[in-house]
């Protein structure tokens, strides 16, 4: 009798090559502040989503005003191969800080930015994003509230590790 070896269980153990998980750190320079950010990136085929947090370098380190930030974003990589990623990205961030503790004055920013992203590498990727879009600044001073709409831009340099 002829014996065969069943190897079908090996196919179930291989990870899906279309799905990647990455950790990312980036330096973001925008109109109002410079941020250091750390985040998670989930990629499926041509789409990727990311979320993370950061802090404003100038206000937190030099002015001693804690300036936290959270962000989410999504991208469609229309040019993607093993080494290279290029495509449009959409990015939302929220940040804020206490402007004056005695007067209970706080400032909060909402940014919705769009622009291209570029990454190069295999397991370690280096990349950049150039983004622009509307920004809403909310200033709370006691019971007074002021809202300002403005335009923001951002340049990001990123280092990403895929696992």
């Amino acid at each position: 009798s002829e014996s065969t070896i069943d190897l079908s269980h090996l196919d179930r153990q291989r990870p899906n090559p279309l799905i990647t998980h990455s950790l990312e750190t980036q330096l973001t320079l925008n109109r109002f502040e410079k941020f250091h950010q750390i985040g998670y990136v989930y990629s499926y085929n041509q789409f990727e989503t990311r979320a993370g947090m950061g802090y404003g370098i100038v206000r937190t380190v030099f002015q001693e005003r804690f300036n936290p930030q959270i962000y989410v974003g999504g991208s469609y990589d229309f040019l993607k191969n093993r080494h290279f990623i290029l495509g449009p990205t959409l990015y939302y961030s929220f940040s804020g800080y206490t402007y004056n503790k005695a007067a209970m004055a706080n400032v909060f920013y909402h940014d919705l930015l769009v622009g291209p992203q570029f990454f190069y590498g295999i397991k370690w990727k280096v990349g950049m994003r150039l983004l622009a879009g509307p920004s809403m600044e909310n200033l709370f001073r006691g019971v007074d509230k002021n809202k300002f709409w403005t335009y923001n831009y951002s340049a990001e340099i990123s280092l990403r590790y895929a696992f």
Side-chain angles (χ1 to χ4, degrees), residues 4-158:
T4 61
I5 299 174
D6 182 20
L7 299 176
S8 62
H9 68 284
L10 294 177
D11 288 336
R12 289 189 300 263
Q13 293 177 353
R14 287 190 193 136
N16 187 340
L18 301 176
I19 297 175
T20 59
H21 305 272
S22 303
L23 293 177
E24 181 176 61
T25 183
Q26 57 199 19
L27 178 63
T28 301
L29 309 169
N30 74 25
R31 183 175 169 195
F32 304 111
E33 176 65 288
K34 289 124 185 84
F35 288 95
H36 174 249
Q37 301 165 323
I38 296 175
Y40 168 77
V41 180
Y42 174 80
S43 300
Y44 178 75
N45 201 2
Q46 303 292 106
F47 297 95
E48 69 179 34
T49 58
R50 66 183 185 280
M53 63 184 117
Y55 66 93
I57 297 170
V58 174
R59 289 189 183 105
T60 301
V61 176
F62 299 109
Q63 296 178 1
E64 297 180 1
R65 297 180 194 164
F66 184 53
N67 185 13
Q69 180 194 50
I70 58 172
Y71 68 90
V72 294
S75 302
Y76 176 73
D77 304 326
F78 66 86
L79 291 176
K80 183 175 185 177
N81 63 29
R82 189 165 183 244
H83 301 282
F84 181 78
I85 296 172
L86 177 67
T89 186
L90 180 67
Y91 173 91
Y92 167 78
S93 70
F94 172 78
S95 63
Y97 64 95
T98 300
Y99 183 75
N100 185 332
K101 289 182 183 178
M104 296 188 315
N106 299 302
V107 180
F108 299 102
Y109 295 95
H110 298 269
D111 297 317
L112 184 61
L113 308 175
V114 65
Q117 76 171 2
F118 165 80
F119 279 90
Y120 181 79
I122 299 175
K123 200 139 181 88
W124 287 94
K125 294 183 186 317
V126 176
M128 63 176 277
R129 294 182 189 94
L130 299 172
L131 307 168
S135 178
M136 183 175 62
E137 179 181 346
N138 291 311
L139 175 61
F140 295 94
R141 202 176 289 130
V143 294
D144 296 332
K145 177 182 175 183
N146 295 308
K147 184 190 310 185
F148 306 98
W149 285 95
T150 186
Y151 191 74
N152 198 0
Y153 49 85
S154 175
E156 300 177 2
I157 299 170
S158 300

